[in-house]
Amino acid sequence: MKRTALLSLLFFALTANAEKILSPDKLTYVDINLDNGRLSYSAGYRTVVKAKKKGALPDTLDVPMLLNSPLGVYTNVADFSKNLTYLQGKKSEKPIRQTYHLRQGKQSEISTEYNEYYAVYSTPETKRNGVLMRVCFRVFNNNIAYHYKFLQTGETSAIVVNGEASGFRLPTDATAFICPQSDPMIGWKRTKPSYEEGYIWDEPITTRSQYGHGWTFPCLFHEGNKGWVLISETGVTGNYCGSHLSDATPDGLFTIAFPMEGENNGFGSTGAQLGLAGSKVTPHADITGNTPWRTITLGPTLKPIVETTVAWDVVEPLYEPSIEYKGSRNTWSWILWQDASINYDDQIKFIDLAADLGWEGCLIDGGWYENIGREGMEKLFAYCKQKGVSPWVWYNSNGGWNDAPQCARQCMHNSIVRKQEMKWLQKHGVKGIKVDFFAGDKQETMRLYEGLFSDANDYGIQVICHGCTMPRGWERMYPNYCSSEAVLASENLYFSQDFCEMEARHATLHPFVRNTTGSMEYGGTALQRRLHKEPNKGNTRRTSDVFELGTAIAFQSSGQNFALTPRNLTEQPKFEIDFMKQVPTTWDETCFVDGYPGRYIVLARRNGSRWYVCALNGQKQVQNINVTLPMLAGKQVTWLSDGTDGKSPSAQQVTLDKRGTLRADIPGECAVVLY
Ligand code: CA
């Protein structure tokens, strides 16, 4: 292995078409290679090997995680996956440092460093059309991002991208935690894909996806003792489509897959229409001609995966916030009281509940237009104002892309009606909207998202998306964007007992996969044992109370629609309600402590000077936890646990030892929370 590394160093020195790019700490690498006109890369991390001879420098050993993987783009003017000629390239001489503030995410003040490399390529068609492709790689410690930029040197200033050769080759013995891409136009009122199918858990990467359309981002892979790889995309705007991963070939190659033709009721292209960057394009040149970033997070442990900020590191804010947007905890009648609760009297009860809990908002869900009406809504808005609660309002994104019947409809699908609606919302103090039933990942739909966010900002309104795709850097790109569902969310607790049986297992998967690359609007923390408006009806929750409280820490979303109901105020132990009264939804720091996807997780998050730690056991059997929490060393904390039977929740004041030891035998589907 060592000799191979040496030989490859010699090889790199001899050819201009091969480059090795290292992260600032020199422990993450990408090898780029142009061979016979075809561009490819491989990537991994490096371990330092002690020198054998005394006094010699230590050597490094490459640990490959992504094997020889293709690069390139298929366009209507040229095939940029073959016959490429290298024209010029540039490598940053020293690491590029950036610091930025992220209002909502895992961390608020972010400081990162990367090394950048780009190279420009022509094709045989360039002589005629003047179009060049530039590939750009940014290599951070444990993170890699790459994208393509198309440059205009002739008359052609617009191209159509039909697909990408961009691939990710894994060793065939790797396993996957991935979610299949659904068929289009199936499910509830033909609203899929909604990016909420059932995962495969630690299964071979060559497993065929349920619908044969591949896998939804983000995708987590386990390479045994070597470690973990997370693959995703970020920076998707109305200038491109969203994508996903294909099924793997028998030799382990996943490639970027574009939307399916049937999405959006078959309307709109599956490709992307792209304006080129050139010397005459001056404003906004940074984002012109770019494809979205393909991102890879890798390392020997799960820590870089859970803590990654790459989705936000490589994007920029696309407009200024019109007001100062803040996190919001909302009550939400629909989750357990369902459609019948979308009436004036029940909404008053949930506005009162928000006021009693000291929460910021109350979400009035689908059906209000018919059942409450605009006049009734204005009365509710006035009542909210009186109680110091901000209203949030549900909308159907339709439009003409599916049959979802809930109202209000035809209010958010184009800019003219949207602005009228938002003017009304702003006038009555509405702080946010939840827009549902989007139509997939075509560029057509990405333009809808972008227009929606941008218009809402003009009226000081935040946006939660439901029945939608995963966000792609949007927390930073669109300052009033709040969160997205794109997960098998809490509504399924009401719909299916089978989902209740799996709730704990799913909850210990999401912080490792779905929630690593974007805010996740799950709508959780149900404290009722029976999940229904009536006391002895509905599905039975299997998780413990402290487990539910812990998910408020584990699931990241700056807007949380929690599943608490008025009954909880009198039925739950006081300490549970006290916890929910003060748990924040925005975080200054996130620290992965221990865990394994779908089994358990110990996660610490900081808000201001206070740390919140959850240890969730997603399994049926007891999980022993023995970790140190340096951030809580020697400190007094409130320690919530479920008792040895898992059914006796209690709160105690405990002072941790000087190492910050957290030792506990956590019963199945139970948790420990420290704060
Ligand atoms: Ca859903």
Side-chain angles (χ1 to χ4, degrees):
M1 193 86 178
K2 213 156 126 197
R3 183 166 292 173
T4 334
L6 263 178
L7 278 174
S8 64
L9 268 178
L10 277 175
F11 174 74
F12 281 110
L14 292 173
T15 50
N17 290 333
E19 281 289 348
K20 188 179 205 83
I21 313 146
L22 296 177
S23 56
D25 68 2
K26 298 187 168 39
L27 294 177
T28 303
Y29 75 88
V30 176
D31 286 327
I32 300 169
N33 196 15
L34 182 66
D35 186 18
N36 264 324
R38 286 185 186 268
L39 199 57
S40 64
Y41 73 105
S42 53
Y45 65 88
R46 310 201 306 169
T47 52
V48 179
V49 185
K50 264 193 193 161
K52 276 183 190 149
K53 280 184 193 166
K54 249 194 175 173
L57 288 172
D59 206 348
T60 54
L61 186 68
D62 285 2
V63 181
M65 299 295 283
L66 282 183
L67 313 176
N68 185 32
S69 304
L71 292 166
V73 179
Y74 311 112
T75 78
N76 66 335
V77 299
D79 180 348
F80 287 92
S81 73
K82 59 183 188 187
N83 301 319
L84 297 177
T85 302
Y86 170 88
L87 297 182
Q88 52 169 292
K90 199 180 171 201
K91 218 168 168 177
S92 55
E93 280 159 14
K94 54 179 187 192
I96 300 164
R97 196 180 182 83
Q98 62 164 353
T99 57
Y100 65 93
H101 175 78
L102 190 64
R103 176 180 72 83
Q104 45 171 354
K106 302 170 191 178
Q107 198 178 327
S108 59
E109 303 305 326
I110 297 177
S111 175
T112 54
E113 278 189 321
Y114 59 92
N115 284 318
E116 186 173 64
Y117 170 76
Y118 68 81
V120 179
Y121 302 89
S122 65
T123 68
E125 288 81 12
T126 303
K127 269 195 193 114
R128 263 186 297 120
N129 59 37
V131 182
L132 301 172
M133 179 176 80
R134 196 191 82 171
V135 179
C136 175
F137 270 86
R138 288 184 184 174
V139 185
F140 301 75
N141 302 342
N142 293 109
N143 289 280
I144 297 157
Y146 69 88
H147 74 176
Y148 310 91
K149 192 179 188 86
F150 289 90
L151 309 172
Q152 175 183 1
T153 67
E155 268 192 28
T156 304
S157 71
I159 61 169
V160 172
V161 176
N162 298 315
E164 292 188 22
S166 315
F168 308 86
R169 191 187 305 276
L170 288 124
T172 48
D173 58 355
T175 58
F177 295 84
I178 44 181
C179 173
Q181 174 82 4
S182 153
D183 270 330
M185 305 307 289
I186 62 162
W188 164 255
K189 304 293 176 187
R190 302 192 301 154
T191 55
K192 287 195 179 192
S194 301
Y195 310 89
E196 52 179 32
E197 306 306 309
Y199 277 79
I200 63 165
W201 308 70
D202 233 347
E203 285 173 49
I205 57 165
T206 47
T207 304
R208 195 181 140 80
S209 61
Q210 187 185 344
Y211 298 93
H213 303 304
W215 310 96
T216 299
F217 283 132
C219 299
L220 178 66
F221 301 102
H222 190 192
E223 296 190 22
N225 292 336
K226 284 199 302 172
W228 299 83
V229 182
L230 181 79
I231 295 170
S232 192
E233 71 171 353
T234 189
V236 180
T237 67
N239 294 334
Y240 215 78
C241 55
S243 60
H244 56 279
L245 285 187
S246 69
D247 278 356
T249 60
D251 60 343
L253 177 66
F254 293 89
T255 45
I256 289 290
F258 273 17
M260 301 162 289
E261 210 164 316
E263 290 176 37
N264 200 28
N265 212 359
F267 187 76
S269 166
T270 59
Q273 180 190 57
L274 201 61
L276 304 191
S279 55
K280 286 176 189 164
V281 185
T282 44
H284 317 302
D286 276 359
I287 56 165
T288 306
N290 286 349
T291 69
W293 293 96
R294 312 287 162 221
T295 65
I296 302 146
T297 304
L298 55 83
T301 71
L302 286 156
K303 192 169 173 69
I305 309 283
V306 175
E307 296 179 7
T308 183
T309 56
V310 71
W312 308 282
D313 294 342
V314 293
V315 302
E316 296 280 337
L318 297 178
Y319 50 75
E320 288 292 314
S322 67
I323 61 165
E324 192 193 334
Y325 295 106
K326 290 189 174 153
S328 189
R329 298 160 300 173
N330 302 335
T331 54
W332 180 32
S333 74
W334 184 84
I335 185 61
L336 294 183
W337 289 17
Q338 293 283 298
D339 289 351
S341 71
I342 309 303
N343 65 68
Y344 185 87
D345 292 343
D346 282 348
Q347 291 312 305
I348 291 284
K349 289 175 191 154
F350 277 79
I351 295 166
D352 286 343
L353 177 63
D356 288 344
L357 290 164
W359 287 358
E360 291 76 18
C362 173
L363 166 68
I364 303 171
D365 215 272
W368 61 265
Y369 185 80
E370 206 177 313
N371 301 326
I372 301 174
R374 284 196 191 278
E375 264 182 52
M377 287 295 271
E378 288 177 9
K379 281 187 203 151
L380 288 174
F381 298 155
Y383 187 70
C384 278
K385 196 176 175 191
Q386 196 186 314
K387 297 291 254 180
V389 172
S390 296
W392 287 57
V393 181
W394 186 98
Y395 283 91
N396 192 325
S397 76
N398 255 339
W401 30 91
N402 56 50
D403 305 325
Q406 285 91 332
C407 60
R409 301 179 58 207
Q410 312 285 353
C411 295
M412 290 292 152
H413 64 301
N414 78 49
S415 195
I416 294 170
V417 291
R418 199 151 65 207
K419 286 177 176 175
Q420 285 169 7
E421 194 69 21
M422 288 171 176
K423 201 174 164 185
W424 176 68
L425 295 171
Q426 185 186 39
K427 187 179 159 199
H428 294 284
V430 174
K431 288 284 183 259
I433 52 177
K434 171 179 161 183
V435 186
D436 208 335
F437 302 126
F438 287 88
D441 276 343
K442 284 181 176 174
Q443 184 173 17
E444 188 81 22
T445 305
M446 293 300 143
R447 286 173 173 159
L448 174 73
Y449 281 112
E450 190 168 72
L452 179 63
F453 302 150
S454 171
D455 283 349
N457 181 54
D458 291 349
Y459 297 88
I461 292 170
Q462 293 191 49
V463 185
I464 285 178
C465 303
H466 208 75
C468 59
T469 198
M470 163 197 89
R472 289 154 161 91
W474 297 349
E475 294 87 344
R476 188 173 178 206
M477 291 156 65
Y478 309 114
N480 60 319
Y481 165 78
C482 180
S483 194
S484 297
E485 183 189 29
V487 64
L488 266 179
S490 62
E491 60 194 20
N492 295 287
L493 296 170
Y494 186 92
F495 298 150
S496 125
Q497 184 61 44
D498 282 353
F499 185 81
C500 295
E501 306 298 330
M502 291 279 286
E503 182 190 0
R505 195 177 181 211
H506 277 117
T508 52
L509 177 69
H510 300 320
F512 295 99
V513 191
R514 165 64 183 83
N515 215 180
T516 56
T517 53
S519 300
M520 183 178 83
E521 208 280 290
Y522 184 84
T525 310
L527 292 175
Q528 290 185 193
R529 183 55 55 193
R530 297 293 297 274
L531 302 167
H532 198 278
K533 188 179 179 184
E534 307 298 327
N536 297 313
K537 283 187 181 169
N539 296 323
T540 303
R541 179 168 60 84
R542 296 299 184 203
T543 56
S544 74
D545 285 8
V546 178
F547 190 100
E548 290 295 308
L549 302 179
T551 62
I553 302 167
F555 298 166
Q556 182 273 313
S557 174
S558 72
Q560 295 265 29
N561 299 314
F562 288 121
L564 267 62
T565 58
R567 272 181 28 214
N568 294 147
L569 289 184
T570 49
E571 290 180 0
Q572 301 308 124
K574 183 174 173 293
F575 76 84
E576 294 184 8
I577 302 302
D578 287 346
F579 175 82
M580 289 310 294
K581 278 182 174 173
Q582 56 74 59
V583 69
T585 60
T586 54
W587 305 104
D588 295 307
E589 209 176 326
T590 291
C591 183
F592 171 71
V593 182
D594 196 11
Y596 192 92
R599 294 183 195 163
Y600 71 102
I601 185 162
V602 185
L603 192 66
R605 297 198 202 265
R606 181 175 62 82
N607 173 282
S609 58
R610 185 157 214 174
W611 281 94
Y612 292 77
V613 178
C614 64
L616 307 178
N617 179 9
Q619 308 151 103
K620 303 280 177 198
Q621 73 270 27
V622 173
Q623 175 69 44
N624 171 260
I625 303 284
N626 189 355
V627 296
T628 54
L629 305 167
M631 65 288 276
L632 292 178
K635 297 221 168 106
Q636 198 197 41
V637 295
T638 306
W639 179 305
L640 311 183
S641 62
D642 296 297
T644 45
D645 63 352
K647 288 173 187 154
S648 319
S650 70
Q652 284 163 313
Q653 294 302 309
V654 172
T655 303
L656 296 193
D657 66 19
K658 60 179 191 241
R659 294 178 66 225
T661 305
L662 164 59
R663 201 175 291 140
D665 289 326
I666 304 180
E669 300 169 304
C670 291
V672 166
V673 165
L674 310 183
Y675 75 108

